[in-house]
Amino acid sequence: MPQRLIVLISGRGSNLAALVQAAREQGWPAEVVSVISNRPQAAGLEWARAHGLPTQVVDHQAYADRSEFDDALLQACEAHQPDVVVLAGFMRVLGDTFVRCYEGRLINIHPSLLPSFTGLHTHRRALQAGVKVAGATVHYVTPTLDHGPVIAQGVVPVQQDDTEEALAERVLQAEHQLLPLAVGWHVRGELQLEAGVVRHRHGAPQALFFH
Ligand code: GRF
């Protein structure tokens, strides 16, 4: 039986596209059962529809507070009985109930080398801090924001004349390789989590370097 995958998005959906393309090309034992966006206008929804994927909107603005939105999102997800839930540019913080429901099978991509620069505006903050490498992290989600066990990291250089946009674009290219790699490992059962540390069972390198 293929694993049932839900992808949560908020915007453009380029990570969603990278994931779906890899899944199709590599014949993953997985199918995307729903693409859910918290924003009705997310461009990623259009992409998903155009590529034959079922979509749904759970608009956070339609709910009185965070916990009501969380409940609605959880219900929408549970209706599909997913094996894996991927946050691919999903820009809402999820509550404990949601996170615990999918613990160990809830995967996020964050555009920084965690644990540095959790939260928003990662590229701006990286430039302000003067770091010389930046990157992206794919990790299992735990209740503490952007702190779960790291599955893979992609490293890019920070260049002297970088703008926030230029750095974001370089990191995004890394994200498009990193997310499919990490989710592919997960759905093929190639990862093991022990004492908060994720290891690839066959020793595949969990760090990617981009120039
Ligand atoms: C990505 O950089 C992701 O890491 C961040 O938001 C961006 C989403 O891009 N959280 P897309 O919607 O996948 O194109």
Side-chain angles (χ1 to χ4, degrees):
M1 284 289 282
Q3 297 216 10
R4 300 172 62 78
L5 224 98
I6 287 179
V7 185
L8 302 185
I9 62 166
S10 298
R12 162 182 63 182
S14 67
N15 278 294
L16 163 73
L19 191 70
V20 169
Q21 275 155 8
R24 287 179 176 172
E25 278 166 28
Q26 297 165 17
W28 290 3
E31 58 172 334
V32 175
V33 291
S34 189
V35 174
I36 305 178
S37 172
N38 65 303
R39 293 208 181 105
Q41 306 306 331
L45 287 172
E46 280 306 309
W47 187 92
R49 288 185 201 114
H51 289 79
L53 300 173
T55 62
Q56 266 170 280
V57 173
V58 181
D59 184 349
H60 64 277
Q61 290 185 324
Y63 298 91
D65 55 33
R66 201 178 279 281
S67 98
E68 276 190 25
F69 168 68
D70 260 34
D71 289 348
L73 187 64
L74 186 57
Q75 264 188 34
C77 288
E78 278 299 277
H80 297 286
Q81 291 294 299
D83 297 300
V84 188
V85 178
V86 179
L87 310 179
F90 184 70
M91 303 305 283
R92 302 296 296 175
V93 176
L94 294 167
D96 283 15
T97 311
F98 189 100
V99 170
R100 293 207 188 285
C101 183
Y102 298 116
E103 206 155 359
R105 53 205 180 98
L106 180 59
I107 295 174
N108 182 43
I109 182 150
H110 181 77
S112 81
L113 294 174
L114 294 175
S116 293
F117 310 119
T118 60
L120 295 175
H121 309 301
T122 55
H123 308 301
R124 186 185 315 165
R125 287 157 55 217
L127 291 175
Q128 283 164 355
V131 294
K132 305 308 174 208
V133 292
T137 303
V138 179
H139 66 97
Y140 287 116
V141 177
T142 57
T144 311
L145 182 71
D146 297 333
H147 268 92
V150 171
I151 300 172
Q153 291 188 301
V155 182
V156 307
V158 176
Q159 281 159 12
Q160 254 177 25
D161 54 355
D162 259 346
T163 58
E164 200 179 328
E165 293 70 30
L167 181 57
E169 179 56 32
R170 197 173 310 122
V171 171
L172 188 67
Q173 295 312 311
E175 291 180 49
H176 294 164
Q177 297 200 34
L178 200 67
L179 186 64
L181 184 71
V183 177
W185 286 339
H186 178 94
V187 300
R188 293 193 204 96
E190 291 176 16
L191 297 173
Q192 62 187 42
L193 175 59
E194 226 179 272
V197 174
V198 181
R199 291 206 169 78
H200 188 273
R201 288 183 195 282
H202 315 302
Q206 290 168 259
L208 298 184
F209 296 89
F210 301 86
H211 295 286

